[in-house]
């Protein structure tokens, strides 16, 4: 069998904040949390003279945290927390989307009513018709999930009810520090972990591989885990 090593934060929904870290790692960002959405590496990582364009939604308090952060480059799953509930009581939901405004349960949602949102790959945690990896693969194929069947480090965010959000980084169980292909888990495994380990009812998979990182407080010391010192562009943060 496959073993993975999980590191996660369990945070209150209103404490989540999407921030631009602009060519930093989680470990040197000054924040606690996980790496955020996908971005174009362009000419390379960690080069501020060549900004890495966001490829996914990264919104905080009704505005993009960085250029292009109000849209997904292709229609992909996005976890959205609203400032004001919809008339039916909805305050958090996932939506396969490209850009705002969007429609949810026949209500129009403008970016101005978004408390926070982060784009990724749909995990379809509430879809009980999915019973196999092939079921899941078929349903999300249009989102171009990276390296679907390959084991790699992965990052995910999920909502588990009771106003609690899970920020999870998944590393290889036997080689914690290896971010290469063959180390970590596949995309269906991410869905299984968020569903069965954390009982999340909605969520998305974020950027992964060498981008998978987490920073956290243990006792009085600040810690982080990453497989390489890859600079990322945005983080999903939580206080500790």
């Amino acid at each position: 069998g496959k073993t993975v090593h999980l590191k996660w934060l369990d945070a209150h929904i209103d404490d989540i904040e999407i921030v631009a870290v602009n060519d930093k790692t989680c470990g040197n960002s000054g924040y606690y949390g996980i790496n955020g959405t996908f971005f174009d590496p362009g000419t390379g990582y960690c080069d501020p003279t060549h900004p890495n364009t966001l490829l996914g939604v990264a919104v905080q308090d009704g505005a993009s945290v960085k250029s292009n952060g109000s849209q997904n480059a292709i229609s992909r799953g996005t976890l959205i927390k609203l400032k004001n509930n919809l008339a039916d009581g909805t305050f958090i939901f996932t939506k396969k989307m490209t850009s705002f405004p969007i429609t949810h349960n026949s209500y129009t949602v403008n970016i101005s009513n978004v408390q926070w949102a982060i784009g990724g790959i749909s995990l379809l945690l509430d879809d009980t018709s999915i019973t196999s990896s092939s079921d899941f693969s078929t349903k999300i194929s249009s989102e171009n999930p990276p390296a679907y069947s390959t084991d790699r480090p992965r990052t995910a965010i999920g909502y588990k009810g009771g106003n609690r959000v899970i920020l999870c980084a998944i590393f290889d169980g036997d080689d914690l520090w290896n971010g290469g292909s063959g180390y970590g888990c596949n995309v269906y495994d991410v869905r299984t972990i968020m569903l069965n380990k954390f009982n999340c009812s909605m969520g998305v998979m974020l950027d992964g591989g060498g981008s998978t990182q987490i920073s956290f407080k243990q006792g009085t010391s600040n810690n982080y885990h990453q497989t390489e010192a890859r600079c990322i562009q945005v983080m999903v943060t939580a206080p500790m």
Side-chain angles (χ1 to χ4, degrees), residues 184-235:
C185 71
N186 64 42
V187 179
Y188 187 61
D189 294 331
V190 177
R191 181 180 191 271
T192 302
I193 289 166
M194 298 307 284
L195 192 59
N196 297 342
K197 163 74 177 172
F198 296 112
N199 298 312
C200 290
S201 57
M202 59 186 83
V204 295
M205 185 183 82
L206 302 171
D207 196 6
S211 294
T212 288
Q213 307 170 17
I214 186 169
S215 47
F216 54 95
K217 194 170 193 173
Q218 208 162 17
T220 55
S221 62
N222 294 328
N223 288 280
Y224 65 89
H225 194 95
Q226 61 195 28
T227 59
E228 60 180 86
R230 178 183 293 181
C231 293
I232 56 173
Q233 300 305 310
V234 295
M235 281 180 65

Side-chain angles (χ1 to χ4, degrees), residues 13-26:
I13 195 171
D14 289 326
D15 288 336
I16 298 294
E17 193 168 343
I18 314 300
V19 298
V21 295
N22 299 325
D23 283 318
K24 289 191 173 75
T25 65
C26 286

Side-chain angles (χ1 to χ4, degrees), residues 61-72:
D61 296 327
S64 166
V65 302
K66 188 177 167 72
S67 181
N68 291 330
S70 61
Q71 61 193 28
N72 293 314

Side-chain angles (χ1 to χ4, degrees), residues 36-57:
T37 194
F38 300 94
F39 59 94
D40 182 351
T43 54
Y45 304 103
C46 304
D47 182 356
T49 63
H50 294 281
N52 302 126
T53 307
L54 288 186
L55 300 175
V57 167

